[in-house]
Amino acid sequence: MRAGGVLVLDRSAPVQVSVARVVHLLEHVADGLDRFPAPGVPCSQQLDAVIAGEARAIVAEIEAREELGVEAGGLAEVADQLRGLAADERLALVERQLRAAEPHHSPELAELMRSYTARCERAASP
């Protein structure tokens, strides 16, 4: 996603995968993550909001993929862990994983959080 809520999609992706990705990205727009990082706000505060918003977006994308009958892709490991959990439990699990962001446990989530942290720190540097 680009600043201002411009959605960027992979042209080669199947339509159902793109639809699930749009669901994810629209969650970011709703949470204001398309405007991340915010100037003058400490990174610790922003990263807390990122974790909550990213968890909602990841869960929404996984649920959309399930409804559309497409594989979870890079989120397959997370999707497997969410099966059978209630909505609030799903969000809590993904938030815990994003906070832990351990590369050996979930390299995709660890890289995602490293990227957010680096973006915030670069913006905060004079």
Side-chain angles (χ1 to χ4, degrees):
M1 175 178 318
R2 295 198 177 123
V6 175
L7 306 181
V8 180
L9 301 172
D10 178 357
R11 288 181 197 213
S12 65
V15 172
Q16 296 91 334
V17 171
S18 292
V19 168
R21 191 68 187 154
V22 166
V23 167
H24 180 116
L25 295 172
L26 288 176
E27 286 287 331
H28 286 331
V29 172
D31 286 330
L33 293 183
D34 59 314
R35 295 182 304 276
F36 176 86
V41 179
C43 285
S44 59
Q45 278 182 300
Q46 292 192 66
L47 292 174
D48 281 342
V50 161
I51 288 169
E54 195 63 56
R56 283 189 290 276
I58 288 169
V59 170
E61 180 175 350
I62 289 170
E63 289 172 349
R65 284 175 174 259
E66 288 171 352
E67 286 185 35
L68 294 166
V70 293
E71 295 286 322
L75 298 171
E77 184 179 325
V78 177
D80 287 343
Q81 295 171 6
L82 298 182
R83 276 195 187 78
L85 296 179
D88 59 334
E89 294 172 316
R90 286 175 161 224
L91 283 174
L93 176 66
V94 176
E95 282 188 26
R96 280 194 307 274
Q97 290 180 345
L98 287 167
R99 284 187 198 292
E102 297 172 2
H104 65 278
H105 181 63
S106 179
E108 294 84 7
L109 296 183
E111 180 55 35
L112 179 66
M113 290 311 299
R114 272 194 301 275
S115 173
Y116 274 116
T117 300
R119 284 172 51 201
C120 193
E121 290 172 351
R122 275 193 309 273
S125 297

